[in-house]
Amino acid sequence: MTASHPAEELRGAGLRVTAARVALLDAVRDGDHLGVEAITSRVRDRVGRISHQAVYEALHALTAAGLVRRIEPAGSPARFEGRVGDNHHHLVCRSCGAIADVDRVVGRDVCLGPLDDAGYVVDEADVTFWGLCPRCRPKTG
Ligand SMILES: [Zn+2]
Ligand SMILES: [Zn+2]
């Protein structure tokens, strides 16, 4: 699997290519469901000064173009990830806010099976599992 260069992907999505957007796309992809603060500091490490507003606008543009995915667990600030289009789900730690990907739900099809969907055409399921991550859960034994 070959990853194309971020600049080409931006161009392909019809977006203007800027150093900040390239750095931002890299930061989101290298990171693990980063929040805006973490993304901003990584982008600053690479391109120098950039305002929060510019980061927000770039994130919005990249999200709208489908290059990054925004997730927003209830009660938590938005996080961004580079894994798009595969309809995966998330585990969120109630204690520290850590987020892990869940590829699919085993044994219970809550994904995109035929639903009695009240006439809706369903194209996405967004499931968040809440609990305690391995670091936060009580130690056993
Ligand atoms: Zn935790
Ligand atoms: Zn994810």
Side-chain angles (χ1 to χ4, degrees):
M1 182 173 157
T2 52
S4 51
H5 191 272
E8 288 167 26
E9 294 180 60
L10 289 167
R11 225 171 274 125
L15 295 171
R16 201 159 46 87
V17 178
T18 66
R21 283 179 174 175
V22 170
L24 191 145
L25 189 53
D26 279 344
V28 170
R29 287 181 173 170
D30 291 347
D32 186 13
H33 307 97
L34 296 176
V36 174
E37 292 296 326
I39 292 168
T40 303
S41 77
R42 288 182 186 212
V43 172
R44 282 180 179 155
D45 285 346
R46 269 183 56 176
V47 303
R49 294 166 68 91
I50 180 169
S51 69
H52 259 115
Q53 186 60 32
V55 170
Y56 273 110
E57 284 169 9
L59 279 170
H60 182 80
L62 296 191
T63 304
L67 294 176
V68 306
R69 177 175 170 190
R70 174 195 170 103
I71 59 171
E72 197 161 4
S76 150
R79 309 286 195 94
F80 295 85
E81 66 180 337
R83 191 176 157 185
V84 297
D86 67 352
N87 201 62
H88 69 277
H89 306 307
H90 293 101
L91 282 159
V92 182
C93 177
R94 287 185 195 282
S95 177
C96 71
I99 297 181
D101 287 336
V102 180
D103 284 332
R104 58 200 171 91
V105 180
V106 178
R108 237 179 313 167
D109 187 7
V110 298
C111 297
L112 296 178
L115 299 172
D116 179 7
D117 57 16
Y120 285 62
V121 177
V122 177
D123 60 23
E124 184 177 346
D126 187 357
V127 179
T128 304
F129 301 92
W130 296 88
L132 293 173
C133 76
R135 272 180 306 171
C136 296
R137 75 180 197 202
K139 301 277 179 284
T140 50

